[in-house]
Amino acid sequence: MRKKDIKRLINCLGGAENINNITHCMTRLRLKIKNSKLIDHEAIKNIPGVIQEQFSGSEYQIVFGTKVEEVFKELKKQLHGQDLEQFSWYDLPSKIL
């Protein structure tokens, strides 16, 4: 995913300050959002690479398929300096062993 698309994604999520937490699993970017009313759902659906977006409980999920880790890494770079809780599901086994 291109850097400009990640920047666009951040804006569609209500800006960097509206993102409280980011994680991912095998296909989904998982976010905790401070104010869900600031999300531009239609614009997110039109970002290249987005397959689907939805809320699951209090978690906002964006499906990217197998490109999710690439998106996660670039999003983390662009949000550098934000006070976020960030981890990759791939790191979880090493955290519990």
Side-chain angles (χ1 to χ4, degrees):
M1 181 173 253
R2 298 177 307 195
K3 290 180 182 183
K4 73 176 190 171
D5 292 326
I6 296 293
K7 196 169 284 198
R8 187 172 153 206
L9 176 62
I10 292 168
N11 290 332
C12 292
L13 290 167
E17 59 283 345
N18 197 38
I19 302 168
N20 205 29
N21 172 286
I22 59 171
T23 61
H24 74 89
C25 63
M26 295 297 287
T27 60
R28 297 168 192 249
L29 188 63
R30 299 170 179 266
L31 304 114
K32 297 286 183 179
I33 301 294
K34 294 176 186 174
N35 183 348
S36 61
K37 293 177 183 174
L38 298 177
I39 296 173
D40 186 342
H41 297 275
E42 290 306 312
I44 289 174
K45 289 176 188 175
N46 291 316
I47 293 174
V50 171
I51 298 168
Q52 181 182 346
E53 56 85 46
Q54 67 190 25
F55 268 97
S56 179
S58 64
E59 183 177 78
Y60 184 61
Q61 301 176 355
I62 305 172
V63 180
F64 285 98
T66 57
K67 301 281 185 188
V68 72
E69 190 167 9
E70 172 190 329
V71 173
F72 175 79
K73 287 178 180 178
E74 184 59 35
L75 183 59
K76 222 166 63 163
K77 278 184 200 174
Q78 291 196 29
L79 292 173
H80 181 70
Q82 290 294 114
D83 186 21
L84 298 173
E85 180 184 328
Q86 305 169 17
F87 73 94
S88 165
W89 285 98
Y90 297 112
D91 296 333
L92 191 57
S94 66
K95 294 179 189 263
I96 56 176
L97 294 177

